[in-house]
Amino acid sequence: MNSDRIRGDRAENLEQSIAAYELALQVYTREAFPEDWARTQNNLGIAYRNRIRGDRAENLEQSIAAYELSLQVRTREAFPEDWAETQNNLGIAHNHRIQGDRAENLEQSIAVYELALQVCTREAFPEDWAGLQNNLGNAYSDRIQGDRAENLEQSIAAYELALQVRTREAFPADWAMTQNNLGTAYSDRIRGDRAENLEQSIAAYELALQVRTREAFPADWAMTQNNLGTAYSDRIRGDRAENLEQSIAAYELALQVRTREAFPEKWAGTQNNLGSAYSGRIRGDRAENLEQSIAAYELALQVRTREAFPEQWAMTQNNLGNAYSDRIRGDRAENLEQSIAAYELALQVRTREAFPEDWAMSQGNLAAVLMQRASLTESDTDLETAIALLKAALDVAAPNSPNFINSQYRLGIALSRRYEHSQNSSDLEQALQAYKIALDAISPEHYDRKQIWQALPTTQSILGSRLVREGKWQEGLQLLLNSVRQLSTGDDPLAHANALFQTGRAHETLSDWDNARLYYRDALRLYDHLKNELGIAKSRAGLGSVLVSQGYLEKGLAELDKARESYHQLQQPDKAAEVDIIYQAAQRAMERQTTEAYV
Amino acid sequence: MTTADDIFDQSSSNIQRLGLKEIPFTESPIDLRSETLQRIFTGRQNELRQMFNLFQSRERRRILVYGRLGIGKSAFLLEVLSVLRRKRPKMLTTYISLPANLDLATTALIAVARAMPDDNWAQSQLYQMGIPTEQALKERSTKASANMVFGAELSEKDLPITKPQYPTVSLETLLERAQEKYPEGVVIAIDDLDKQNPSVVRQLMHDAQGMLKGRAWFLLTGHPMGMTGDLLTSERGLFDLQLKLEELDLPTTYQMLINYLSSARINNNCTDPKDPRCVLPFLPETAKRFCEVSLGKPRLFNRLGNTVLSTAADLQAKVITPDVLEQGLRAAALTLHQQAALTVQEERVRVLLLQRGTLSDDTITMDDLEQIGFRSFSDAYLILERLEEADLAHQLNQDAAKAFAPIPLPPSDDEFLSLGGS
Ligand SMILES: Nc1ncnc2c1ncn2[C@@H]1O[C@H](COP(=O)(O)OP(=O)(O)OP(=O)(O)O)[C@@H](O)[C@H]1O
Ligand SMILES: [Mg+2]
């Protein structure tokens, strides 16, 4: 709660505490008053850990040093309870430590907590035990070594243990803190059903907010609101448009407390999140939403400067690049320039050596916007550069990762554009090859579903239809509808038609005939407009079978007949035979109806 | 000089000139007293029969009443409840419109608790949720100290309802208590299930399965818009009866007009369709034409009726001649359009609909879609539904297609303008 006070005050108070403890240490010497000395060392450690002035890394070193001195007196044998308390503090300091190897520091924290838990048993010291479990949960959720999925399970388990003691009735503030942490762990969780994990995460945040009210704990309230915003923007269940509204609302609440003056870093972080939510927003005017998004990113960059926070700066530059490349208002050519400039800035920090995954992502984005500029200006060099960038990105991207799939797919587009000019058949072959690799790699089992909403709309529609077929229809349908929405304003009508078809098929799988019919007809109309014969055939086949299922036999037969004919012309006898089976069945049903009418 | 009082008198004498005490048409049935509803409620015999057949058994049932916007779901529900109240005095009947952000169990709990003002436990449940209770109001006048507390409670109108921690269990407990006083059972009618978005409704239904199978009768209403349609398929087993309300046929609509008018007429209260006086101030021919444009949709009927009668009163007419009716309908077209406050996008779709006469997923062309800035009918569909909600379009009962047509009102002047502009 201290952090809620105005920063200036708090900084000053901490300076005074440090001075006071240091004075005390001169009086209570280790030799004369060992216990007091040790307690003061412990408190000095806490004050250094919280210190605002001075270099943060150095303060944490001081803090660790003080705890270690304290532990020389507070031994496990002589003062088990004090020993555990200081061990806990030491663990926290290791967890936040900046100097030294981060992975190693986290190992240290975990070791320290586990040591402390041997003395602080649940029976003897339930509160301390629960606090240690909470901190252990934090350390596991940040852990770098070991299997990440397993670490997150450990983290969740520790939080849940903590909550057995930290009940809402007995320790409301601690309970809320651990609920918040649990929410974060669930939203990062790898095992289990992703959609379900996000629901758990939202539920935990909402519980936390019951105690962390704006009045009582403004800073904590704002933190949990920010987390809730992120969970909603990742949410899979529910209506995507609605989830994004919830996400924006939560971020805006957080910003009421996280003002630029009081919490500049956090303010910038939430502004960045708000920018992303606006750029994906479905409700409202798209042009206006993108303006909002750009404005939020630009605010974030006022604090996230390259000097102070290079990684965050690069992330927001990358996001700004995305927003400019989609921007509707303003001059198109100028927007593309802005977008290119932003990606190039991001890539100055996101180098191939230091951050290979991020590098590949920004590299792919840059390629995509260069391709846009190429079609605007008919520039060959831009297209060539884009192809080169994508190939380089593919060298680094982990096979089958979202980045890898995006880059393959974009490479397919770039090469087929080049083929339009060059008429070089190897371009076409390579393009098809790239599409095929992308397509084969999109599978629900290994696709990193955390990044599902960032995927290209085509990827979303393919994933969506596979998920529906596997029975995960809520998740699948949301993805499909989202991709349809995105493609409906894009410049790739064929991809739009495909997504409409997949959506029709998903509804058919769910026996939602009315919607299936609606989407098949939409797909058919668009395929027809594009003169895509295969598309026409398959949407007629789908439409026909839906009509038959609804009992509109005559209309259904007419569509099936045309579909069968098209498949024959396309030399796809297998498909024609499949359609024929349905046709024959419908035909028999109709004959039965007419005979029954005469009986 | 005319004072405001004079103008008031003028208005009421204009209505009286038409032979009416007041304009009987209303947007919603909630404002009606139950005797009034009983007088004007018309038709739906089949649906009532199906519903009441179920009530002849002891088995508790779950019933879904569904149909398009303004088709008369709430009125039907209220009519059913008022009949039950008369015929089954030992049955507790409750009604509530589903509030935003609330689960079905809490909603049901509120409905039942409100209907049991003498039950302390029920009232304390409401009190904990920050909902003003009748008891609190009563205590106000007697106890000064309680006055303060409840006064503060009541002034906090926007206080969000704090859901009980275990609403299903609380509801069970409450129903047990209710059963003692109402041995014939408890009916919980939850209206407007669909005023929330479809995925929320789906989740609500899913979460409420246990409760719905519990110890009360449930009557729910919704319209099968958007994805609510697939709710009907996915939760099919949940309901013992799904009643679809459709448009009323022409003779029933005519009878409905008679019932509304006779409930407000000053002199005669004739309800015999063969007697031409029964539709006064309409003439039989204008009454018939009025029913035709209402398309058998009760809300449209009420909205149009309202404007037609106001227009006739303004014109100081004694009867509604074809000319007066035409002016009234023209005014109604204008009012509906203005009240809808359409966006540019929606306006474009409306204009296209007027140009084409019908739009359907079966026959719309790519050129039509391009004209409204779309590539697929599914995008336009959302807008057409929005027009339907504003009574600027209606869905046709076409086989195997989703088709919309404009409401056949005479074009008002501003409609000519927007047509010319495109
Ligand atoms: N059978 C009927 N007889 C007479 N009046 C009716 C009848 N059905 C509906 N009405 C009247 O028509 C109007 C609209 O009906 P109602 O509000 O019940 O429709 P609804 O289907 O519940 O609409 P919504 O979808 O907006 O909830 C109301 O004024 C109601 O009183
Ligand atoms: Mg209603």
Side-chain angles (χ1 to χ4, degrees):
Chain A
M1 255 174 299
N2 270 336
S3 57
D4 298 343
R5 282 208 237 143
I6 298 172
R7 282 170 72 85
D9 276 359
R10 174 141 198 266
E12 189 49 42
N13 289 342
L14 284 163
E15 292 307 307
Q16 285 176 8
S17 322
I18 291 174
Y21 292 136
E22 274 170 354
L23 204 65
L25 286 170
Q26 292 173 12
V27 179
Y28 297 107
T29 59
R30 176 172 177 173
E31 291 67 35
F33 306 95
E35 281 180 57
D36 294 319
W37 178 83
R39 183 177 350 100
T40 311
Q41 287 290 5
N42 177 67
N43 293 348
L44 184 63
I46 296 177
Y48 267 117
R49 180 172 70 84
N50 291 332
R51 189 175 185 199
I52 290 165
R53 304 232 171 110
D55 178 40
R56 182 149 166 74
E58 185 50 39
N59 289 337
L60 283 164
E61 295 308 307
Q62 294 274 7
S63 167
I64 291 172
Y67 292 139
E68 276 169 351
L69 283 174
S70 175
L71 285 169
Q72 290 178 4
V73 171
R74 294 184 155 189
T75 59
R76 180 172 173 171
E77 293 67 35
F79 308 98
E81 204 180 338
D82 296 338
W83 173 81
E85 177 191 342
T86 304
Q87 285 288 5
N88 179 38
N89 293 340
L90 186 61
I92 297 177
H94 274 298
N95 193 354
H96 290 114
R97 192 171 176 201
I98 293 165
Q99 291 184 9
D101 178 35
R102 171 122 182 94
E104 189 46 46
N105 292 339
L106 285 163
E107 295 308 306
Q108 288 279 351
S109 317
I110 291 174
V112 165
Y113 292 135
E114 274 169 352
L115 206 61
L117 279 166
Q118 292 177 7
V119 169
C120 260
T121 58
R122 178 169 178 174
E123 291 65 38
F125 309 102
E127 277 186 64
D128 296 333
W129 175 82
L132 283 166
Q133 290 291 2
N134 176 71
N135 295 345
L136 186 63
N138 288 346
Y140 267 117
S141 86
D142 291 344
R143 191 177 186 199
I144 293 166
Q145 292 184 12
D147 175 30
R148 174 125 182 92
E150 181 51 34
N151 291 337
L152 286 164
E153 297 306 306
Q154 294 276 3
S155 166
I156 291 173
Y159 291 137
E160 273 165 356
L161 284 174
L163 286 170
Q164 292 180 2
V165 170
R166 294 185 157 188
T167 61
R168 179 171 174 169
E169 289 66 36
F171 308 99
D174 295 338
W175 173 80
M177 177 205 282
T178 304
Q179 288 289 1
N180 175 75
N181 297 344
L182 184 64
T184 317
Y186 266 116
S187 88
D188 290 344
R189 191 175 185 204
I190 293 165
R191 302 230 175 110
D193 178 31
R194 171 112 185 108
E196 183 52 35
N197 290 338
L198 285 164
E199 296 305 305
Q200 295 276 4
S201 165
I202 290 175
Y205 291 139
E206 274 168 354
L207 284 176
L209 286 170
Q210 291 181 2
V211 168
R212 296 186 151 190
T213 60
R214 180 167 176 174
E215 293 68 37
F217 306 95
D220 298 336
W221 172 80
M223 175 207 281
T224 305
Q225 287 290 0
N226 177 74
N227 295 347
L228 185 64
T230 313
Y232 266 115
S233 81
D234 290 346
R235 190 173 183 213
I236 289 162
R237 302 234 173 105
D239 178 39
R240 173 105 183 114
E242 180 56 31
N243 289 337
L244 286 170
E245 296 305 304
Q246 297 274 7
S247 163
I248 290 174
Y251 289 140
E252 275 169 353
L253 285 176
L255 286 170
Q256 291 179 4
V257 167
R258 297 187 153 186
T259 60
R260 179 165 179 175
E261 294 66 40
F263 305 95
E265 285 180 54
K266 294 186 168 150
W267 171 79
T270 305
Q271 286 289 2
N272 176 73
N273 296 346
L274 184 64
S276 308
Y278 266 116
S279 78
R281 190 176 183 206
I282 291 162
R283 303 237 171 101
D285 176 32
R286 172 115 179 102
E288 180 54 33
N289 289 337
L290 286 165
E291 297 304 306
Q292 296 270 10
S293 164
I294 291 174
Y297 290 139
E298 274 168 355
L299 285 175
L301 286 171
Q302 292 178 4
V303 169
R304 295 187 156 186
T305 58
R306 178 168 180 173
E307 294 67 39
F309 308 97
E311 285 173 55
Q312 282 90 337
W313 174 79
M315 176 207 285
T316 305
Q317 287 290 3
N318 177 73
N319 295 346
L320 186 63
N322 293 343
Y324 267 115
S325 80
D326 291 348
R327 190 176 185 208
I328 294 165
R329 301 227 176 111
D331 176 47
R332 176 109 188 101
E334 178 56 28
N335 291 337
L336 294 179
E337 293 311 313
Q338 294 272 12
S339 168
I340 292 170
Y343 290 135
E344 281 173 346
L345 286 175
L347 284 163
Q348 291 178 6
V349 169
R350 299 182 152 191
T351 59
R352 179 172 179 159
E353 295 67 37
F355 306 98
E357 282 284 318
D358 294 339
W359 173 79
M361 178 205 285
S362 291
Q363 183 92 343
N365 292 342
L366 179 59
V369 68
L370 286 174
M371 280 155 61
Q372 290 189 38
R373 189 166 78 178
S375 7
L376 200 69
T377 60
E378 313 226 328
S379 145
D380 286 346
T381 28
D382 278 345
L383 197 56
E384 290 306 322
T385 317
I387 292 172
L389 288 175
L390 290 167
K391 286 185 171 161
L394 281 169
D395 281 347
V396 170
N400 301 337
S401 68
N403 272 335
F404 173 86
I405 294 170
N406 284 355
S407 296
Q408 286 290 2
Y409 185 80
R410 284 168 169 155
L411 185 62
I413 300 179
L415 288 168
S416 66
R417 294 244 174 101
R418 187 161 79 182
Y419 169 75
E420 285 166 21
H421 306 294
S422 70
Q423 296 295 319
N424 178 342
S425 66
S426 99
D427 277 345
L428 190 59
E429 270 162 37
Q430 284 186 50
L432 291 176
Q433 173 81 356
Y435 280 135
K436 188 173 174 331
I437 295 176
L439 212 65
D440 290 345
I442 304 173
S443 97
E445 304 85 73
H446 69 241
Y447 191 91
D448 180 356
R449 302 239 281 279
K450 275 191 83 167
Q451 301 199 34
I452 215 154
W453 300 117
Q454 277 75 51
L456 294 175
T458 37
T459 304
Q460 289 186 21
S461 68
I462 295 166
L463 267 178
S465 59
R466 300 224 176 127
L467 283 167
V468 169
R469 254 173 285 158
E470 282 177 15
K472 301 200 168 166
W473 55 271
Q474 275 197 353
E475 186 173 353
L477 200 58
Q478 284 305 316
L479 270 180
L480 279 165
L481 292 172
N482 198 51
S483 75
V484 166
R485 276 191 201 118
Q486 288 186 31
L487 291 164
S488 71
T489 52
D491 57 1
D492 192 350
L494 182 58
H496 186 197
N498 289 336
L500 287 165
F501 174 80
Q502 298 289 4
T503 310
R505 183 120 131 202
H507 281 117
E508 186 181 359
T509 314
L510 300 172
S511 312
D512 180 353
W513 310 123
D514 275 8
N515 275 313
R517 205 176 63 203
L518 194 69
Y519 281 99
Y520 277 141
R521 281 195 176 130
D522 272 335
L524 175 58
R525 193 166 23 244
L526 197 49
Y527 280 131
D528 196 48
H529 181 71
L530 299 169
K531 307 206 168 24
N532 181 308
E533 294 304 327
L534 186 60
I536 296 174
K538 65 185 187 186
S539 19
R540 278 200 197 288
L543 181 57
S545 81
V546 168
L547 286 165
V548 166
S549 306
Q550 289 190 300
Y552 302 121
L553 297 177
E554 211 164 320
K555 286 188 177 218
L557 282 169
E559 296 297 342
L560 290 170
D561 185 39
K562 288 188 199 156
R564 194 174 49 182
E565 180 57 34
S566 301
Y567 277 131
H568 276 308
Q569 279 184 4
L570 288 162
Q571 318 268 327
Q572 298 208 4
D574 294 358
K575 291 279 176 196
E578 267 174 43
V579 174
D580 191 55
I581 293 174
I582 308 174
Y583 184 91
Q584 299 302 338
Q587 181 92 49
R588 280 193 299 277
M590 193 144 104
E591 277 156 14
R592 224 175 302 132
Q593 270 185 6
T594 29
T595 35
E596 273 164 18
Y598 285 105
V599 179
Chain B
M1 222 187 88
T2 27
T3 65
D5 285 39
D6 293 337
I7 299 174
F8 185 90
D9 293 341
Q10 176 105 59
S11 292
S12 47
S13 84
N14 283 346
I15 292 291
Q16 282 160 15
R17 187 173 293 112
L18 290 162
L20 300 173
K21 294 189 284 258
E22 59 179 353
I23 297 183
F25 301 107
T26 58
E27 282 260 319
S28 144
I30 306 295
D31 319 324
L32 302 175
R33 294 215 320 262
S34 76
E35 308 89 82
T36 320
L37 180 62
Q38 211 189 327
R39 285 190 73 174
I40 60 169
F41 189 84
T42 317
R44 306 284 184 221
Q45 271 96 3
N46 263 329
E47 291 86 349
L48 288 170
R49 194 164 296 126
Q50 290 189 57
M51 177 76 92
F52 291 143
N53 279 343
L54 292 184
F55 276 87
Q56 306 313 317
S57 130
R58 306 215 71 184
E59 183 87 50
R60 288 174 297 268
R61 308 286 187 161
R62 298 167 298 265
I63 300 149
L64 176 71
V65 177
Y66 70 101
R68 305 197 63 84
L69 281 167
I71 203 71
K73 298 177 293 293
S74 300
F76 181 77
L77 207 61
L78 292 169
E79 175 71 3
V80 167
L81 294 176
S82 81
V83 171
L84 288 173
R85 234 167 268 148
R86 285 191 297 275
K87 301 280 178 192
R88 288 275 163 89
K90 293 226 169 83
M91 187 170 225
L92 179 64
T93 57
T94 66
Y95 171 91
I96 188 168
S97 164
L98 180 66
N101 304 323
L102 221 54
D103 56 295
L104 286 180
T106 309
T107 305
L109 181 67
I110 296 174
V112 178
R114 272 203 195 139
M116 299 172 63
D118 297 332
D119 185 297
N120 280 331
W121 193 79
Q123 295 311 299
S124 74
Q125 292 291 306
L126 288 177
Y127 182 75
Q128 277 165 21
M129 289 188 260
I131 298 172
T133 56
E134 289 195 24
Q135 246 183 357
L137 289 171
K138 272 187 225 148
E139 278 175 46
R140 263 190 132 171
S141 51
T142 52
K143 269 198 243 159
S145 59
N147 197 356
M148 301 287 291
V149 179
F150 292 122
E153 273 295 315
L154 287 170
S155 67
E156 291 254 15
K157 264 204 182 136
D158 298 335
L159 208 77
I161 295 175
T162 20
K163 302 169 195 170
Q165 217 167 355
Y166 306 106
T168 319
V169 179
S170 303
L171 179 66
E172 275 289 294
T173 313
L174 190 56
L175 288 173
E176 253 167 57
R177 299 172 75 94
Q179 216 90 43
E180 287 166 20
K181 274 185 74 178
Y182 301 97
E184 293 190 317
V186 178
V187 180
I188 303 175
I190 303 181
D191 201 359
D192 302 320
L193 209 60
D194 43 26
K195 304 276 146 82
Q196 316 236 4
N197 84 54
S199 55
V200 173
V201 175
R202 185 203 315 284
Q203 194 63 44
L204 285 178
M205 298 293 290
H206 188 81
D207 296 344
Q209 301 240 4
M211 172 197 84
L212 289 173
K213 290 177 182 147
R215 51 172 83 222
W217 289 73
F218 281 94
L219 309 182
L220 306 180
T221 75
H223 48 77
M225 267 203 178
M227 292 210 316
T228 324
D230 77 81
L231 180 83
L232 294 179
T233 35
S234 63
E235 308 288 348
R236 201 178 270 140
L238 207 53
F239 295 102
D240 301 298
L241 174 64
Q242 298 186 15
L243 266 181
K244 179 167 189 212
L245 298 187
E246 312 241 27
E247 282 74 9
L248 302 167
D249 61 16
L250 203 54
T252 312
T253 313
Y254 196 82
Q255 186 61 50
M256 176 159 78
L257 181 62
I258 294 173
N259 293 348
Y260 271 89
L261 293 170
S262 78
S263 77
R265 200 171 299 107
I266 297 169
N267 284 323
N268 73 67
N269 53 4
C270 136
T271 54
D272 175 9
K274 288 190 206 85
D275 183 342
R277 290 181 312 143
C278 69
V279 288
L280 279 173
F282 283 86
L283 302 168
E285 59 165 320
T286 51
K288 188 158 169 283
R289 159 109 173 100
F290 174 78
C291 291
E292 278 162 9
V293 293
S294 303
L295 301 166
K297 293 175 184 291
R299 192 180 48 215
L300 179 62
F301 169 96
N302 273 276
R303 283 184 174 169
L304 295 179
N306 222 326
T307 322
V308 167
L309 285 188
S310 316
T311 312
D314 280 349
L315 294 169
Q316 311 202 334
K318 274 189 75 174
V319 288
I320 297 172
T321 60
D323 180 48
V324 172
L325 178 64
E326 224 45 30
Q327 292 194 48
L329 293 177
R330 226 179 270 278
L334 185 63
T335 316
L336 289 174
H337 188 201
Q338 282 170 348
Q339 278 174 352
L342 300 180
T343 63
V344 179
Q345 176 75 272
E346 290 162 349
E347 184 60 26
R348 267 200 246 155
V349 176
R350 189 184 77 98
V351 171
L352 180 70
L353 182 64
L354 287 173
Q355 286 174 346
R356 294 284 175 276
T358 51
L359 289 180
S360 98
D361 66 334
D362 196 13
T363 57
I364 199 166
T365 64
M366 210 61 205
D367 287 344
D368 289 341
L369 285 169
E370 267 163 19
Q371 188 179 328
I372 47 177
F374 289 136
R375 273 200 300 243
S376 67
F377 185 82
S378 40
D379 287 327
Y381 183 62
L382 297 174
I383 296 190
L384 287 163
E385 287 197 318
R386 162 91 176 82
L387 295 180
E388 184 188 22
E389 200 179 311
D391 282 326
L392 294 172
H394 67 110
Q395 214 181 122
L396 302 172
N397 284 322
Q398 270 195 12
D399 268 6
K402 295 211 183 285
F404 291 80
I407 306 287
L409 293 173
S412 62
D413 295 342
D414 86 313
E415 254 166 318
F416 280 124
L417 275 181
S418 49
L419 261 178
S422 74

